[in-house]
Amino acid sequence: MGRSIPVSLLKKYLSGDCTVAEVKEVDQWFDSMDAVPEDLVGLSDDQRKLVEDKIFERILLHIETKEQQKITSIPKKSIRLHPILWAAASIALVLAAVLIWRYNAQLNLQNQNAKLQHSVHIKPGGNRAVLTLGDGSSVVLTEAKIGALADQQNVSVVKTAEGELSYKMHTGSASAKISYNKIATPLGGKYSVVLPDGTKAWLNAKSSLRFPTAFTGAERVVQMTGEVYFEVAKNPKQPFKVQSGGTEIKVLGTHFNVMAYGDEAEQKTTLIEGSIHLSSGKFSQLLKPGQQALVDPSGIKLNNNCDLEAVMAWKNDLFIFKDMEIKEIARQLVRWYDIQVVFKGTPSKISYTGTIPKDVELSELLSMLQFTGLKYELNGHTLTIID
C-alpha cells in the first residue's frame, strides 16, 4: 500500500511548477505504490475498482491516439458516479495524467536512444591536405611526420609541430631552376602554409594554392581556388599577385580574404588591412580596409558594409550565420562535413542567425539549427532539408 499524497501536489507536478524536493517526493510516492492508494479518499474495494478501470481506460485511449495504432476496443463502461466518488474521479484523472506523462517520457527516451544507435556520427573537418611537389610526387600532410618532408633546389619543405607547412630557404642564393608546388585541401579539410617569402596563407575546405619554391622574378605570383586568407610579407620591390580564374589581386603587403568557390554566384575579396588593387577583365577596383569586392560576369560591385567577423569566421573555427538562407548554409556544411545535401521541395527563404563552433559533430549542429525551425532528415552522409 502506498502512502498518501495531496492531489494539489500531483497537479503541481504535472504543470512543471514543483521544486526539486517536490518532484522527488512525487517520484518516490509513485514508485512505492502498488495500485491507486485508497487512503487518499478512503474508497471501498468496489469504488477502488472503478477508479482503476477509469485510469486504465484513459491510458489505453491516449496510447491509441499518440501512436495512431489500432488496438482491440475496450468495452465501454457506463459509469454514473455517486457523489461520494467525485473526489475519487478527480484523483483518477490526475493519476492517469501522471502515468501518461511517465509513459511518454519513457517512449521518447527509447526513440532517442534508437535514433542515436542508428545515426552516423559525422565528425567535423580538420587539418587535412595533400602537397604535390615539383617532381609530381605527393605528400599526405595529415599522415606526414613533423620535420623535413622534402628538399627542392635550395628550399626545404617542413611540417612544423603546429601542423603547419613551411618553406625555408637554404643559405646562399636561390637556384636558377624554380619548381612549383601545390597544396590542396579536400572537403572537410583546412591547412596553413608559410610560403618561401614569408607570406602566410590559410586554406579553407576544398581549396588549393599553387606557388613557386622561390620567388625570384619581378613579381610574386600564386594561383588559388576555393577560399584562402593571406597575410602577405611586405616587399615594395616585388609585388604579390593572387590569380583566381579571370581575377587578379595585386598587393605589396596586406591582409585579405578571397572566396572563389565555383558553386558560389560571386567571387568575394575582402580587405582586412592595407590596400589591394583588383582587376577582372576590363573592370578594376581599389579596395580600402573593411571593403569587399563582389565579382561576377557583369563586373565588380563594392560592399562598404562588410561584416568582417562573418568573413573571417571559417579561419577562426566558427560558423557565423547572419540572416543567411539555408542554401548558403548548406554549401558550407557540404564543404566542412563532406556530406551530400538535397532539398525536398523548394528551399525556404527563411533567414537563420547564429554562431556555432566548427568542432562539433554534424548532428549537434543540426540540433542547434532545429531550434530555429529547420526540418531535416539525416540518412548516412545524405542530409535532406525539408521545406
Side-chain angles (χ1 to χ4, degrees):
M1 184 67 63
R3 56 192 174 84
S4 63
I5 191 170
V7 175
S8 59
L9 181 54
L10 287 178
K11 291 181 178 179
K12 242 180 120 177
Y13 179 85
L14 292 172
S15 65
D17 295 329
C18 280
T19 64
V20 174
E22 288 172 332
V23 169
K24 186 176 180 181
E25 182 181 352
V26 174
D27 285 341
Q28 289 175 344
W29 164 77
F30 187 91
D31 291 334
S32 66
M33 70 184 220
D34 56 358
V36 179
E38 64 186 41
D39 57 339
L40 286 174
V41 288
L43 301 180
S44 66
D45 289 341
D46 289 339
Q47 294 166 347
R48 175 174 171 170
K49 185 67 171 62
L50 288 177
V51 173
E52 290 175 346
D53 287 345
K54 190 69 176 177
I55 292 172
F56 187 63
E57 183 178 357
R58 282 185 170 272
I59 291 174
L60 288 181
L61 288 175
H62 177 79
I63 294 173
E64 179 182 28
T65 303
K66 191 71 176 176
E67 298 300 305
Q68 296 181 344
Q69 297 175 344
K70 292 182 179 180
I71 61 174
T72 304
S73 62
I74 302 171
K76 303 289 183 179
K77 294 184 180 181
S78 179
I79 302 176
R80 196 170 185 180
L81 294 180
H82 188 276
I84 186 177
L85 296 180
W86 279 113
S90 175
I91 293 171
L93 293 177
V94 175
L95 183 55
V98 174
L99 291 169
I100 291 169
W101 183 88
R102 283 189 164 230
Y103 168 81
N104 285 335
Q106 184 178 16
L107 185 64
N108 289 336
L109 182 59
Q110 290 173 349
N111 289 338
Q112 290 173 5
N113 289 337
K115 287 181 179 179
L116 286 175
Q117 289 174 358
H118 292 90
S119 65
V120 176
H121 293 283
I122 300 178
K123 301 290 185 180
N127 276 2
R128 300 172 193 146
V130 174
L131 173 68
T132 302
L133 301 171
D135 62 2
S137 62
S138 297
V139 179
V140 180
L141 296 175
T142 313
E143 301 172 357
K145 294 181 180 180
I146 295 171
L149 302 180
D151 280 317
Q152 301 175 101
Q153 289 81 47
N154 288 338
V155 179
S156 291
V157 186
V158 178
K159 180 179 179 180
T160 68
E162 292 75 26
E164 186 177 65
L165 194 64
S166 180
Y167 283 73
K168 298 184 182 297
M169 297 289 296
H170 295 174
T171 56
S173 59
S175 170
K177 183 181 178 182
I178 302 299
S179 61
Y180 283 81
N181 285 189
K182 179 180 178 181
I183 180 173
T185 55
L187 291 172
K190 64 174 183 176
Y191 221 85
S192 60
V193 56
V194 180
L195 300 180
D197 66 333
T199 292
K200 296 190 69 173
W202 287 259
L203 284 74
N204 199 354
K206 199 60 178 175
S207 303
S208 69
L209 183 64
R210 182 177 181 270
F211 51 92
T213 54
F215 294 105
T216 58
E219 299 175 327
R220 297 171 286 168
V221 183
V222 301
Q223 293 86 33
M224 63 152 286
T225 64
E227 185 166 22
V228 183
Y229 172 70
F230 294 92
E231 291 185 356
V232 179
K234 293 183 179 180
N235 186 349
K237 296 180 180 180
Q238 198 179 35
F240 191 93
K241 286 187 177 180
V242 177
Q243 297 174 345
S244 177
T247 300
E248 183 175 85
I249 302 164
K250 182 178 180 179
V251 303
L252 296 176
T254 185
H255 300 179
F256 61 100
N257 188 78
V258 183
M259 192 272 284
Y261 286 111
D263 59 354
E264 297 287 349
E266 302 168 313
Q267 175 179 310
K268 298 178 181 179
T269 299
T270 309
L271 183 62
I272 308 301
E273 65 175 60
S275 63
I276 61 177
H277 182 269
L278 184 146
S279 60
S280 179
K282 63 180 180 179
F283 306 101
S284 63
Q285 180 70 50
L286 183 67
L287 266 66
K288 297 178 180 178
Q291 291 182 324
Q292 182 182 71
L294 296 86
V295 181
D296 62 22
S298 66
I300 302 174
K301 294 177 289 186
L302 201 60
N303 178 9
N304 291 308
N305 298 309
C306 178
D307 189 330
L308 297 183
E309 183 184 23
V311 170
M312 297 305 300
W314 72 268
K315 180 180 175 291
N316 297 325
D317 297 323
L318 294 171
F319 287 110
I320 296 183
F321 308 134
K322 292 190 176 180
D323 296 325
M324 191 176 292
E325 292 184 9
I326 191 60
K327 288 192 297 184
E328 186 175 353
I329 293 176
R331 291 195 292 270
Q332 293 192 32
L333 300 186
V334 167
R335 293 170 196 146
W336 190 236
Y337 292 99
D338 191 9
I339 59 171
Q340 180 183 7
V341 174
V342 296
F343 289 91
K344 190 174 182 180
T346 305
S348 172
K349 294 293 184 181
I350 296 174
S351 295
Y352 294 83
T353 296
T355 299
I356 302 174
K358 293 186 75 172
D359 61 354
V360 300
E361 290 190 5
L362 177 61
S363 57
E364 187 175 348
L365 181 145
L366 292 174
S367 296
M368 297 178 192
L369 290 178
Q370 193 174 34
F371 281 110
T372 65
L374 179 70
K375 297 179 181 178
Y376 69 91
E377 293 176 355
L378 182 61
N379 296 308
H381 282 69
T382 299
L383 173 63
T384 301
I385 306 294
I386 304 171
D387 185 24

